[in-house]
Amino acid sequence: MKFLILPLAILLCYADDLAAIGKSKADELRALSYKSDGLIKLTASGFQKFVVDYPRPYTLVVFLTSKNPTKFKCQLCDEIGSMLDQVIYSYRGANADLPLNTPGSKSRAVFFAILEYNSENQPIFQKFKFASVPNLIVTSPKSIKDEGDRYSYYRDEVWEFSKDGDVHPQKLLDFINARSGRKIELKTSPFAAIISMGMFMLIFTTFAFVIYKIKSFLLIPYVWYAGGLTIYFICISGFVYDIIHGVPMVGTNGKGEAEFIHSGQRSQYGAEGFMMGFLMVIGGLGFVGLNILHKLEKPSHIRLVGGLCFLIVIFSFYKIIKVYQVKASWYGPGLYPPGHYIKGPLINDQGSSF
């Protein structure tokens, strides 16, 4: 028993020293956070001290980015940075830089830092094996380990942003909340709220002024009719679908040739959608023209306009059917699909504009 007393005493002293070092680092981060409005700028040595070296009894959210406009142009870095500013403001308002001790839960103090890509910090980015910037790391006491040529870290604590990703301040806040153990609500600074309200009022005033100036023009029925046709064309051509799914205007077939009609019944190319929307619009206008022939007085005009409208209807329907036969080889003009086609309610066949 005597032999265990000395090692135990040494261990307790070492634990006390680690606790004191950890508290000192947390206090230093708190002071730096106060001086920098919540976002601490890290150097390579600071990253080693606060992110890599033990102990670190806190959560440090590190934003790895590039802010050098002469060498690197990173628009996404600025966008994510602005969103992060709102998250930091929300955390500062909740005093999240202090440890949270409540019955049944214990959350560490949360700090935010930024590490910019430059010659000094380049080895850090390389050891993370990041392909690009920006990236966000929510580090916990034992999440980052230096293995010499690389850092090992928990993948679910890292967000590698991409241009195609859907990012907004609330989503960023939820990501950090889930990993910091906090339940911070998103808040907007008074200055940002005033700027947003000012922009809204400016846009609204400009819109109202334009409407006032062209109100006589907007009272013309044909303007509303043309506007309705434009909206219908945009909807029927699948313009929104193209934006959401990043649809290319044209494709390429197996021979490397340009392909304008997609073979899938529930897929399309951008040019295909616009072409079909145009044919459906002019086909409908052909029917409208046939319906208003009685307003013409001269028989020659009636025959000319009527014949033209009839040809437009036939041409548009013929082209639409031909395109659909490319997408559905079984289809033949008629009222019913073949016997082997999908049975059941119409919703089973949803997704096909035709």
Side-chain angles (χ1 to χ4, degrees):
M1 189 68 179
K2 295 180 180 179
F3 298 104
L4 296 177
I5 295 177
L6 183 58
L8 183 60
I10 295 174
L11 183 62
L12 290 174
C13 291
Y14 179 70
D16 290 340
D17 289 342
L18 287 179
I21 294 173
K23 184 178 182 303
S24 175
K25 290 171 68 175
D27 291 340
E28 187 176 352
L29 282 173
R30 196 170 293 112
L32 290 171
S33 177
Y34 179 79
K35 293 179 180 179
S36 58
D37 292 331
L39 187 61
I40 303 165
K41 187 173 182 179
L42 290 179
T43 59
S45 59
F47 185 87
Q48 180 69 31
K49 177 180 179 180
F50 294 113
V51 179
V52 180
D53 291 345
Y54 294 109
R56 44 180 191 267
Y58 45 78
T59 296
L60 182 58
V61 182
V62 184
F63 181 49
L64 294 96
T65 183
S66 171
K67 287 193 172 183
N68 190 332
T70 58
K71 290 186 178 181
F72 309 102
K73 187 177 181 181
C74 180
Q75 182 179 353
L76 185 60
C77 295
D78 296 335
E79 294 175 359
I80 302 298
S82 299
M83 298 179 195
L84 187 61
D85 287 341
Q86 188 174 358
V87 174
I88 293 172
Y89 177 82
S90 304
Y91 263 74
R92 292 190 73 193
N95 296 319
D97 59 342
L98 296 172
L100 179 64
N101 292 286
T102 56
S105 68
K106 182 178 181 180
S107 296
R108 296 178 293 273
V110 183
F111 304 100
F112 293 84
I114 183 172
L115 184 72
E116 296 182 16
Y117 184 87
N118 53 39
S119 58
E120 179 190 2
N121 298 331
Q122 184 178 5
I124 297 175
F125 285 78
Q126 292 175 339
K127 290 174 75 170
F128 274 112
K129 308 296 183 183
F130 288 142
S132 62
V133 291
N135 304 284
L136 190 75
I137 306 176
V138 184
T139 67
S140 56
K142 295 183 179 181
S143 61
I144 304 292
K145 293 182 180 180
D146 192 347
E147 297 185 352
D149 63 335
R150 62 185 294 272
Y151 289 123
S152 65
Y153 53 89
Y154 301 135
R155 291 289 179 179
D156 62 343
E157 293 185 350
V158 177
W159 191 344
E160 298 185 55
F161 300 99
S162 64
K163 294 181 179 180
D164 300 328
D166 177 24
V167 187
H168 49 80
Q170 184 61 54
K171 192 172 182 178
L172 196 61
L173 177 69
D174 293 341
F175 178 83
I176 297 173
N177 276 345
R179 288 149 183 83
S180 66
R182 297 296 181 113
K183 296 181 180 179
I184 307 297
E185 295 183 358
L186 191 65
K187 296 180 180 179
T188 302
S189 67
F191 178 75
I194 292 174
I195 293 296
S196 298
M197 182 61 69
M199 290 297 296
F200 172 78
M201 292 302 299
L202 178 62
I203 294 173
F204 180 80
T205 303
T206 304
F207 179 76
F209 178 76
V210 172
I211 294 297
Y212 174 77
K213 285 296 184 180
I214 63 172
K215 63 179 181 179
S216 58
F217 176 74
L218 294 177
L219 294 176
I220 302 175
Y222 291 111
V223 172
W224 286 91
Y225 188 75
L229 284 178
T230 303
I231 295 172
Y232 177 77
F233 168 75
I234 293 173
C235 294
I236 202 67
S237 63
F239 183 69
V240 176
Y241 171 90
D242 294 344
I243 295 176
I244 293 174
H245 296 277
V247 175
M249 290 301 293
V250 296
T252 306
N253 59 21
K255 299 179 180 179
E257 302 170 338
E259 184 178 56
F260 293 91
I261 308 300
H262 198 286
S263 58
Q265 288 183 246
R266 287 169 175 79
S267 302
Q268 69 172 30
Y269 295 121
E272 172 191 347
F274 289 127
M275 180 175 65
M276 292 298 98
F278 175 74
L279 289 173
M280 291 177 185
V281 168
I282 65 170
L285 288 176
F287 278 117
V288 172
L290 291 174
N291 191 50
I292 62 174
L293 286 176
H294 65 279
K295 294 185 178 182
L296 300 177
E297 296 180 357
K298 295 184 178 180
S300 59
H301 291 175
I302 294 176
R303 287 192 294 268
L304 177 62
V305 175
L308 182 61
C309 290
F310 183 75
L311 289 176
I312 289 175
V313 170
I314 296 299
F315 172 78
S316 61
F317 272 63
Y318 173 78
K319 287 296 184 181
I320 290 172
I321 290 173
K322 283 299 182 182
V323 170
Y324 191 63
Q325 284 178 328
V326 174
K327 303 176 74 67
S329 58
W330 52 263
Y331 179 74
L335 297 178
Y336 299 99
H340 65 270
Y341 195 67
I342 300 173
K343 297 293 194 298
L346 184 62
I347 196 171
N348 290 347
D349 198 30
Q350 65 178 345
S352 177
S353 298
F354 294 93

